Amino acid sequence: MRLLLLGGTAFLGRAVAIEAAGRGHEVTCLARGSAPPPDDVTFVRGDRDEPDGLADVRDEWDAVIDVTRQPGQVRRAVAELRTPHWVFVSTANVYAPAPGVRPVETDALVEPLAGDVMGSMEEYGPAKVACEKAVREGMAAAGGSATLARAGLIGGPGDVSGRLGYWPWRFAHPSGPDVIVPDDPDFPVAVIDVRDLAAWLVDAAEQRLDGAFNVTGEVVPLGEVLAAAARAAGARVRARPVDLPTLAELGVNAWMGPRSLPLWIDDPDLRQATALDISRAVASGLRLRPLAETLADTLAWEETRDAPRAAGLTDAEEQEIRARLDSPDTRA
Ligand SMILES: NC(=O)c1ccc[n+]([C@@H]2O[C@H](COP(=O)([O-])OP(=O)(O)OC[C@H]3O[C@@H](n4cnc5c(N)ncnc54)[C@H](OP(=O)(O)O)[C@@H]3O)[C@@H](O)[C@H]2O)c1
């Protein structure tokens, strides 16, 4: 297959390029060149925000795989490139909020973004809806097909967000006698290994899967994920669950970013938002590796990097929080 990857140099796109090249496909990646391309692919430098950004890939492709968030980039690419099949990487954020419900592909979506450019992450869901629409309509008009892959949380080696990686890393490097965790053991975590998602995206290109597919991991309760993270780390310390009002009082954030306990969402309306119904993708051949393997490989990758962590508590923050929890004032 002659495969064009729009992107292919960052976390997911790189994994897709490696997977496709490993299967013997002829892979071309187009990006601006912020990071080196993977081995065994043809790299074409191009800026999709420039009018002639796709000039060097205006060719006939067996499939195109696209990871952008910008509707204008999608519209131009769908109009300019020739292919019978498009695989667009979308997101769970396309679904209109429906508290307590596991999203399925037929559920209502948020309104599409009106313009060409997503200005901020607030517009992420609407921008992806607009991208999906441009792909679906453009490919239908050209007589082709399109996979809309609505990805949930992605983890695994190379994930600089550290949302999954924080936990095995923290258990491997405790800042004291325990690891602070949210006291929410039943919270439904769903995370897909980037390599499993990449493999399914290449399957989707090969098989020209048509339509929308939720693609994430099986739901595992947070308590089990944390226990598996501790095992992956060979931890000698225990988890110390802290109730949610106390975490809020201590200024601990949920989900991601600084001073956070990642992977978990404190907002009751969003508890199910990433726990997508994946029956359709599973029926199409989605294969998921054991969580223990993802955690072990993610920890190994975390150990190789020394950049400041994007998610979790620093040692100093965890120590400060532990001290406040242990102080008689907080205990009272
Ligand atoms: N992480 C998650 O948990 C999660 C969850 C759900 C869905 N997703 C989706 O999964 C995908 C992740 O993709 P990714 O990991 O490969 O990361 P990404 O950061 O979205 O990758 C962007 C890619 O496009 C290229 N690019 C950006 N601007 C460009 C431009 N103007 N012209 C040409 N190329 C450009 C980048 O390379 P250059 O900078 O060199 O141009 C890079 O290769 C996204 O679609 C995201 O929305 C992620």
Side-chain angles (χ1 to χ4, degrees):
M1 196 168 55
R2 290 191 75 236
L3 183 65
L4 175 64
L5 247 162
L6 296 174
T9 56
F11 174 45
L12 174 62
R14 173 174 292 274
V16 174
I18 291 169
E19 173 72 23
R23 292 190 196 182
H25 296 307
E26 205 181 298
V27 181
T28 298
C29 298
L30 177 126
R32 294 165 303 180
S34 316
D39 295 337
D40 302 325
V41 305
T42 301
F43 179 68
V44 175
R45 197 178 298 274
D47 184 343
R48 298 176 69 180
D49 290 328
E50 297 296 328
D52 61 350
L54 298 173
D56 293 336
V57 290
R58 275 189 206 119
D59 203 345
E60 189 79 39
W61 303 98
D62 293 313
V64 172
I65 301 183
D66 190 357
V67 298
T68 189
R69 298 154 191 207
Q70 303 296 356
Q73 291 184 356
V74 173
R75 284 185 201 111
R76 278 194 297 279
V78 170
E80 288 181 30
L81 300 175
R82 292 196 309 280
T83 183
H85 190 74
W86 205 279
V87 178
F88 180 69
V89 179
S90 188
T91 169
N93 296 56
V94 294
Y95 291 110
V101 176
R102 289 187 71 182
V104 293
E105 289 86 351
T106 47
D107 283 352
L109 307 183
V110 296
E111 286 298 313
L113 190 73
D116 271 356
V117 178
M118 177 186 106
S120 73
M121 281 309 282
E122 303 289 302
E123 296 176 336
Y124 178 51
K128 285 285 197 182
V129 174
C131 293
E132 283 192 5
K133 188 167 180 289
V135 169
R136 212 179 44 245
E137 292 176 357
M139 292 309 295
S145 49
T147 311
L148 306 175
R150 294 178 181 155
L153 178 65
I154 308 169
D159 177 19
V160 292
S161 88
R163 279 173 286 190
L164 180 67
Y166 172 74
W167 290 111
W169 176 84
R170 176 45 85 199
F171 277 104
H173 301 277
S175 73
D178 49 39
V179 169
I180 309 274
V181 306
D183 189 7
D184 195 0
D186 297 329
F187 175 81
V189 175
V191 58
I192 187 164
D193 190 299
V194 65
R195 296 162 294 182
D196 295 340
L197 177 55
W200 186 84
L201 291 168
V202 177
D203 290 350
E206 288 172 348
Q207 297 165 24
R208 298 188 184 167
L209 294 179
D210 204 19
F213 293 80
N214 291 338
V215 204
T216 190
E218 299 287 1
V219 173
V220 182
L222 179 65
E224 284 181 32
V225 175
L226 297 178
R231 279 196 300 277
R236 291 163 181 239
V237 293
R238 287 178 177 281
R240 177 176 185 171
V242 177
D243 66 72
L244 310 194
T246 305
L247 288 176
E249 210 174 291
L250 293 168
V252 176
N253 300 309
W255 188 235
M256 65 189 292
R259 200 179 169 87
S260 68
L261 293 181
L263 206 62
W264 147 85
I265 302 173
D266 54 347
D267 183 340
D269 288 349
L270 295 177
R271 278 182 87 79
Q272 301 286 343
T274 60
L276 306 170
D277 182 319
I278 55 169
S279 322
R280 189 157 194 242
V282 170
S284 77
L286 174 66
R287 294 172 302 279
L288 300 168
R289 74 193 65 209
L291 180 62
E293 185 181 327
T294 300
L295 286 164
D297 293 351
T298 307
L299 175 58
W301 178 78
E302 289 278 346
E303 298 289 12
T304 65
R305 68 177 185 140
D306 46 24
R309 254 143 243 294
L313 301 174
T314 63
D315 284 0
E317 286 166 347
E318 198 181 41
Q319 286 157 357
E320 167 230 313
I321 288 165
R322 195 179 290 113
R324 284 169 68 183
L325 290 169
D326 288 341
S327 87
D329 291 349
T330 310
R331 283 207 304 269

